[in-house]
């Protein structure tokens, strides 16, 4: 029987984790808590979305040329406002903003930068499918004042922490600061994220593969061969998997993180770098996957080794169970070698 006084809040857990970051002055703890506050506010709006006609486009278009759902705009503004005045952040990058977001005049610039996708998978909002917030935290490399692109355009191996919030049947925040991956479920009756999944570990191979098969004809021969392996066409090396693809990276990633599996968004003849963004989608997911014993590549290279050159650059992504990610890389290399 759970002793109700035994619950571990996100704040308490992060404080306990602080022992791993002795040079931190508690700022990282507070920064993660700022993000959690933003997530609670977003969750509250999502929960009411069908009731207050918040669904529907804000008649705006974001830098990706995508129609902005009102909740996209709300989530973006909520996260920026939760972070920009705290003195913990020197610069913010968002999928919804073309340029780096500076700290408002009159507020101090802090030691960290945050890159986020405020509401990933937002096209699922109208059909009540899970959506998510994805974030990546770096320590600044410049010494003072407003953050610059140099502070944000760092390889993912430099990440201090990363995570996501999934707004699904329950609201969960999953994060890592490099020492394990931990999940917290929002208890709406008390408005707190409570530890529910400590030290998430991803099985070395999984039951699922997640990819948009309608792009099959545009993939390279190597990617086609690897996905056919997941269909069961390569039984000596790869057991056939179940296909699960909901069109929301956070939801597909979360299922595979816990149950085991691999998510792919390959490049193709039309989009050689695929669709997903390096800084605030692929890097945080790669950081989490590796912290849980999984892997993440662009089909060949480790995602966390890629040196970014622009805020919204894309990369192909293969992420999840280590043996499944390795299988894709091996088949791609074999196919290239045989060409
Ligand atoms: P497609 C949502 O737009 C997203 O960025 C990810 O959340 C999702 O996995 C992917 O794109 C879906 O893209 O091309 O399969 O619809």
């Amino acid at each position: 029987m759970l002793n109700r006084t035994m619950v571990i809040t996100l704040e308490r857990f992060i404080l306990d984790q602080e022992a791993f970051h002795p040079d931190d002055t508690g700022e990282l703890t507070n920064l993660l808590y700022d993000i959690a506050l933003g997530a609670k506010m977003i969750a509250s709006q999502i929960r009411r979305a069908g009731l207050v006609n918040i669904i529907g486009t804000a008649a705006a278009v974001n830098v990706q040329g995508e129609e902005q759902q009102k909740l996209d705009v709300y989530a973006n503004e909520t996260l920026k406002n939760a972070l920009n005045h705290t003195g913990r952040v020197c610069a913010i990058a968002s999928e919804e903003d073309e340029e780096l977001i500076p700290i408002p005049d009159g507020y101090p610039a802090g030691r960290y930068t945050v890159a986020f996708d405020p509401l990933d998978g937002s096209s699922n909002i109208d059909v009540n499918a899970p959506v998510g917030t994805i974030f990546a935290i770096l320590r600044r490399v410049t010494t003072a004042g407003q953050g610059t692109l140099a502070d944000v355009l760092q390889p993912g191996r430099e990440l201090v922490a990363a995570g996501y919030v999934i707004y699904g049947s329950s609201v969960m925040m999953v994060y890592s600061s490099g020492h394990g991956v931990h999940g917290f479920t929002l208890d709406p009756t008390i408005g707190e994220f409570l530890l529910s999944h400590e030290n998430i570990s991803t099985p070395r191979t999984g039951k699922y593969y997640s990819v948009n098969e309608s792009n099959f004809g545009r993939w390279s021969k190597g990617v086609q061969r690897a996905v056919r392996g997941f269909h069961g066409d390569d039984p000596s090396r790869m057991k056939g998997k179940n296909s699960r693809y909901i069109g929301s990276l956070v939801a597909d990633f979360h299922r595979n993180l816990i149950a085991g599996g691999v998510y792919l968004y390959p490049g193709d003849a039309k989009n050689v770098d695929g669709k997903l963004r390096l800084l605030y989608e692929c890097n945080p997911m790669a950081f989490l996957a590796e912290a849980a014993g999984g892997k993440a590549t662009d089909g060949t290279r480790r995602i966390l080794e890629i040196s970014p050159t622009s805020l919204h650059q894309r990369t192909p992504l293969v992420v999840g169970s280590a043996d499944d990610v390795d299988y894709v890389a091996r088949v791609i290399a074999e196919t290239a070698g045989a060409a």
Side-chain angles (χ1 to χ4, degrees), residues 120-121 123 212 215 245 247-250 252 263 265 275-276 281:
D120 181 76
S123 56
N212 184 339
N215 298 326
Y245 189 74
S248 174
L249 169 61
V250 171
D252 284 318
Y263 170 100
Y265 208 105
K275 173 180 184 182
L276 301 182
E281 291 175 321

Side-chain angles (χ1 to χ4, degrees), residues 268-338:
D268 60 38
K270 199 169 93 180
N271 305 300
V272 290
D273 290 327
K275 173 180 184 182
L276 301 182
R277 309 294 178 165
L278 175 62
L279 285 190
Y280 41 75
E281 291 175 321
C282 300
N283 270 346
M285 293 323 207
F287 183 82
L288 289 168
E290 292 195 0
K295 285 193 175 184
T297 70
D298 61 2
T300 304
R301 291 179 302 170
R302 183 181 177 227
I303 289 288
L304 297 184
E305 291 301 330
I306 298 175
S307 291
T309 53
S310 67
L311 283 182
H312 303 291
Q313 75 182 68
R314 302 171 194 265
T315 175
L317 177 66
V318 182
V319 61
S321 293
D323 292 352
D324 299 340
V325 173
D326 282 344
Y327 174 77
V328 175
R330 193 160 49 248
V331 170
I332 288 174
E334 286 167 0
T335 309

Side-chain angles (χ1 to χ4, degrees), residues 26 30 39 69 74 80 101 137 192 208 228 237 253 259 267 325:
N30 292 329
Q69 302 275 354
Y74 175 83
K80 288 194 283 190
I101 300 148
I137 300 172
E192 282 291 351
Y208 304 115
R228 279 203 295 268
R237 291 196 297 181
F253 179 89
V325 173

Side-chain angles (χ1 to χ4, degrees), residues 99-133:
E99 305 299 333
L100 200 60
I101 300 148
I103 301 309
D105 290 342
Y107 290 98
R111 303 169 67 202
Y112 296 102
T113 70
V114 185
F116 56 67
D117 183 352
L119 207 57
D120 181 76
S122 54
S123 56
N124 285 304
I125 292 171
D126 287 346
V127 296
N128 205 17
V131 291
T133 294

